[in-house]
């Protein structure tokens, strides 16, 4: 069965595009090599920027839609807020993903070892978060670990692609902790559907309230680590996410409503972080 361009774009979750592209750009900025790029590096950064804008999103969310079909049909969030992809279109989607990824394969032989490893980590976690035989999303706590790595590893690709390999791994850990909170919060609205489909996640194991308290703890730890490197702006970000989680704890019935605002909040805070780092670099 055919798959329209509109359907492909919708399943790529445009509101989430900046999640992997944004972390890639933050990684580039964090490298501190802003004014040291040669022409070849600039070309690589532009090409990989496009990769993380569209092909990467179609890959991770396309694989997710294929392997989550039995869960998605029970998920009101998926039906109303996104789209359930019928099995008749799964084969076509696999072909689309292969066609989009293949042109980037030659680049693998042009990048340094650190970038290769970071890219392989992204591809491995992006596919096997949902796909068998690992299907990490149904094996807590692998679900939060794989999901966090999916969204943090593009920052490593961006960082290493600039030629800087002297990375602050504690800062990376802080980013992973933030992503733990994001993953768990996004899984709370899925608890009922996941239980009905027999899918275990950290959120289903903890239950709504405990899962939200876990999210709050993650944001507090991440903001504390981030503030060491970037100052009070990260404390501000932590406060914003913390308030949303506290509101969700106080009124579970409105959690999905709060959840729908997260893409906007993430894009705004990500853009603020990017430009904050940019101006620190140029001043």
């Amino acid at each position: 069965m055919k798959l329209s361009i509109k359907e492909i774009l919708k399943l790529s979750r445009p509101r989430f595009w900046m999640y992997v592209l944004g972390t890639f750009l933050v990684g580039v900025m964090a490298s501190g090599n802003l004014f040291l790029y040669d022409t070849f590096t600039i070309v690589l950064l532009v090409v990989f920027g496009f990769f993380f804008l569209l092909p990467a999103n179609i890959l991770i969310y396309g694989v997710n839609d294929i392997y989550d079909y039995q869960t998605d049909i029970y998920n009101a969030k998926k039906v109303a807020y996104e789209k359930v992809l019928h099995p008749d279109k799964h084969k076509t989607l696999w072909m689309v993903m292969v066609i989009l990824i293949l042109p980037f394969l030659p680049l693998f032989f042009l990048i340094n070892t650190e970038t290769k490893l970071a890219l392989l980590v992204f591809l491995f976690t992006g596919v096997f978060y949902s796909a068998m035989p690992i299907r990490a999303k149904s094996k807590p706590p692998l679900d939060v670990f794989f999901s966090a790595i999916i969204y943090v590893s593009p920052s490593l690709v961006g960082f290493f692609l600039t030629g800087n390999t002297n990375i602050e791994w504690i800062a990376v850990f802080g980013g992973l902790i933030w992503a733990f909170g994001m993953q768990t919060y996004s899984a709370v609205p899925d608890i009922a559907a996941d239980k009905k489909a027999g899918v275990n996640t950290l959120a289903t194991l903890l239950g709504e309230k405990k899962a939200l308290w876990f999210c709050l703890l993650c944001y507090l730890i991440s903001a504390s680590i981030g503030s060491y490197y970037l100052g009070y702006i990260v404390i501000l970000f932590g406060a914003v996410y913390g308030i949303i989680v506290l509101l969700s704890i106080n009124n579970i019935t409105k959690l999905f409503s709060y959840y729908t605002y997260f893409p906007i909040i993430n894009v705004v805070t990500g853009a603020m972080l990017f430009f904050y780092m940019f101006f620190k670099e140029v001043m």
Side-chain angles (χ1 to χ4, degrees), residues 10-38:
K10 188 169 184 177
L11 69 83
S12 74
R13 321 286 203 274
R15 66 186 182 282
F16 295 155
W17 280 0
M18 288 303 295
Y19 284 17
V20 290
L21 175 60
T23 53
F24 170 77
L25 294 175
V26 167
V28 171
M29 194 58 58
S31 72
N33 285 356
L34 185 59
F35 301 107
L36 301 176
Y37 304 147
D38 55 28

Side-chain angles (χ1 to χ4, degrees), residues 30-69:
S31 72
N33 285 356
L34 185 59
F35 301 107
L36 301 176
Y37 304 147
D38 55 28
T39 302
F40 179 67
T41 300
I42 292 173
V43 171
L44 284 178
L45 290 172
V46 171
V47 172
F48 273 96
F50 175 74
F51 171 78
F52 284 114
L53 171 65
L54 191 58
N57 281 296
I58 291 175
L59 174 68
I60 60 177
Y61 295 119
V63 173
N64 180 262
D65 281 356
I66 289 170
Y67 283 92
D68 273 15
Y69 177 75

Side-chain angles (χ1 to χ4, degrees), residues 48-116:
F48 273 96
F50 175 74
F51 171 78
F52 284 114
L53 171 65
L54 191 58
N57 281 296
I58 291 175
L59 174 68
I60 60 177
Y61 295 119
V63 173
N64 180 262
D65 281 356
I66 289 170
Y67 283 92
D68 273 15
Y69 177 75
Q70 293 300 327
T71 305
D72 290 343
I73 56 178
Y74 298 116
N75 193 339
K77 182 186 83 172
K78 185 70 178 182
V79 174
Y81 191 52
E82 296 174 358
K83 181 178 176 62
V84 177
L85 188 71
H86 195 275
D88 288 346
K89 298 184 178 182
H90 289 181
K91 183 178 180 179
T92 303
L93 179 55
W94 277 117
M95 293 174 60
V96 169
M97 291 188 291
V98 170
I99 290 170
L100 287 174
I101 296 298
L102 278 177
F104 294 91
L105 289 183
L107 295 178
F108 189 78
F109 301 99
L110 303 176
I111 55 181
N112 60 36
T113 301
E114 290 82 2
T115 306
K116 287 178 182 176

